[in-house]
Amino acid sequence: MKLTFVAIRSLLKRRVVVYVIAPLAVIAALALSVKPVFFWLLVREFYFAAPAYTYTQPKSLTEARRQDLDYLKKLATLDGSFTAATRAEFLAGIAALEPQAGDLDTPQFAMDVSRLVALADNGHTNVRPPDRAALMDRVPLRFGWFAEGLFVVRADPEQAALLGARVARIDGIPADDLLLRLKPYYGGNFEHLKAHSAFMLESPDALHAADASLPRDRLVLDLVAADGRVSHVEVPALPPDPNTPDVWPEREMAPAPISHDAASRTVLQDDSRQPWVLRNADGSLFWQSLDGGHGLYVHLWAIDDDQNGPLSDQLQKILDGLKPGSLDYAVVDLRLDGGGNYLKAFHFARKIPEYLKADGKLYVLTDNRTFSAAIVTLAWLRYYGGKRSIIVGEHAGDREEFWAEGSHFVLPNSQLWMAFRTGYHDWEHGCYSLRRCFWPNVFYSVPAGKLGPDVTVAWKFSDYAAGRDTLLDYVLHDAVRP
């Protein structure tokens, strides 16, 4: 049969209707008019529970470890981020570990499990760092990465003299080199490891498990003070504390007191001079009108509700106070943002470009802690902002394509916590396959392209210690007001 152009176009239209429009229409109908059914299907598809334990009470450490490893095998079939090759490597690694399982102490076992889980190479598929840290010793110092390297940002009163020092070497190894050695224990891109590496760098147990030649009861630090003086100190480790609340490295940077650790000392003081990105550290949002209403700064600590109410309502109130086309520039700061529920930021991210003047700019600030729903928000801001959007900072803590969603997965005896991931995301090309993608992405996904920075700028510790923000200073003084 001879196909004319009109016939081909008609055929293509029918295929689009059958394979694209019709399925989307069905999902839309479920979502809009039969919400309970849609959400039941969504939970069943993406948020189902891990299999229940069927083991008897272990009679020995060896039996307990082998039960954990046997259960760990189930992760390979539950988590969508494993490829055929990494799944085979994961299962082979478990088989190789089983004969020696009873000889492994808790830190070594936790690190070995972390190494195996990291084979999935997915930022969302890792042993959860705070839970692993609770099983290990830790020095009374907290580290943070900056442009110049690794620094002490928080300390117990007894170690307060070390605040602000650059950590040149840990146990004789340059900090950057030690970071590279830890990559096998953390899946995802290198930036994601760097964002959470402090949990391991602060733990002699963790470092000893990665390299048996390193001491396991203390850290031997070569420190460089602000005036260039070099010191060599040994900091004893504190024993594991399973009751320590979750505190992530980005929160340690903020000077506001931490509830369980109110006595700790910080580089910055909790006063009005601290950078905006560190304000309201236990909330989700801080914002500031600039230049008499011609500019706007918004920092999102999390894409989630907080003590001030639903995040979407808070963001809408910001928009309600603006006139469309009134802003010379807007700065949306996604640094230190580990994610949340991306739907809570969608309306704001889609609408904020409408409040810019025709030649206005949308600056989006990112760092290696920008993750998960914050990356989704970044993609929307890039896509809807178009040529007016400029990403400034460091690469986000994940790739543009990743697996997320899913449910928690806890080993029965060690109680090591991780998650299995069931929903695929692609924020570079868009994600429209109903068989592969997280279903809401079919409606909300955009082909945003690469999400690396247009302008690479890292926060300098010298600025941080002085209460300044290198990235925001760049935007306000070099870009907006040249």
Side-chain angles (χ1 to χ4, degrees), residues 5 17 40 50 61 76 115 187 209 219 227 244 264 300 302 343 448 472:
F5 172 77
V17 169
W40 176 79
L61 179 63
R115 175 177 50 79
L219 290 185
D227 61 5
T244 300
S264 64
L300 290 166
L343 295 180
L472 190 57

Side-chain angles (χ1 to χ4, degrees), residues 346-373:
F346 173 71
H347 179 75
F348 176 82
R350 182 169 62 90
K351 285 292 186 179
I352 188 62
E354 298 178 10
Y355 292 82
L356 295 170
K357 294 178 180 178
D359 59 348
K361 299 295 183 184
L362 175 59
Y363 296 94
V364 189
L365 308 187
T366 61
D367 66 4
N368 55 36
R369 300 166 188 84
T370 305
F371 188 66
S372 195

Side-chain angles (χ1 to χ4, degrees), residues 29 109 123 182 207 233 235 255 374 378 383 390 431:
F109 182 73
L182 294 174
L207 298 180
V233 299
V235 183
L378 168 64
Y383 180 78
I390 303 169
C431 204

Side-chain angles (χ1 to χ4, degrees), residues 129-141:
D131 295 287
R132 183 183 58 220
L135 301 176
M136 300 184 181
D137 64 9
R138 206 170 179 190
V139 295
L141 303 174

Side-chain angles (χ1 to χ4, degrees), residues 384-423:
Y384 292 113
K387 293 181 179 179
R388 293 184 293 175
S389 64
I390 303 169
I391 301 174
V392 178
E394 300 170 280
H395 198 287
D398 208 347
R399 308 176 180 102
E400 291 83 0
E401 300 176 47
F402 56 84
W403 286 80
E405 318 318 321
S407 299
H408 64 279
F409 186 90
V410 184
L411 301 188
N413 299 300
S414 64
Q415 294 296 293
L416 283 170
W417 194 104
M418 62 210 75
F420 60 93
R421 300 307 185 180
T422 56

Side-chain angles (χ1 to χ4, degrees), residues 70-71 89 91 101 125 132 213 222 239 243 405 457:
D70 181 69
Y71 189 73
E89 188 177 359
L91 295 174
T125 306
R132 183 183 58 220
S213 70
D222 291 327
N243 297 316
E405 318 318 321
V457 183

Side-chain angles (χ1 to χ4, degrees), residues 137-144 150-167 169-170 197-204 218-223 233-238 247 249 252 261 264-267:
D137 64 9
R138 206 170 179 190
V139 295
L141 303 174
R142 295 295 176 262
F143 299 149
L150 185 68
F151 288 80
V152 179
V153 297
R154 188 178 286 264
D156 278 4
E158 294 79 7
Q159 305 290 344
L162 305 182
L163 281 170
R166 180 170 64 84
V167 183
R169 286 180 171 79
I170 300 176
S197 60
F199 285 112
M200 292 184 280
L201 294 172
E202 297 159 4
S203 172
R218 66 193 183 281
L219 290 185
V220 181
L221 303 176
D222 291 327
L223 302 175
V233 299
E234 294 190 8
V235 183
L238 300 176
V247 181
E252 302 282 7
D261 190 24
S264 64
R265 303 289 188 264
T266 58
V267 172

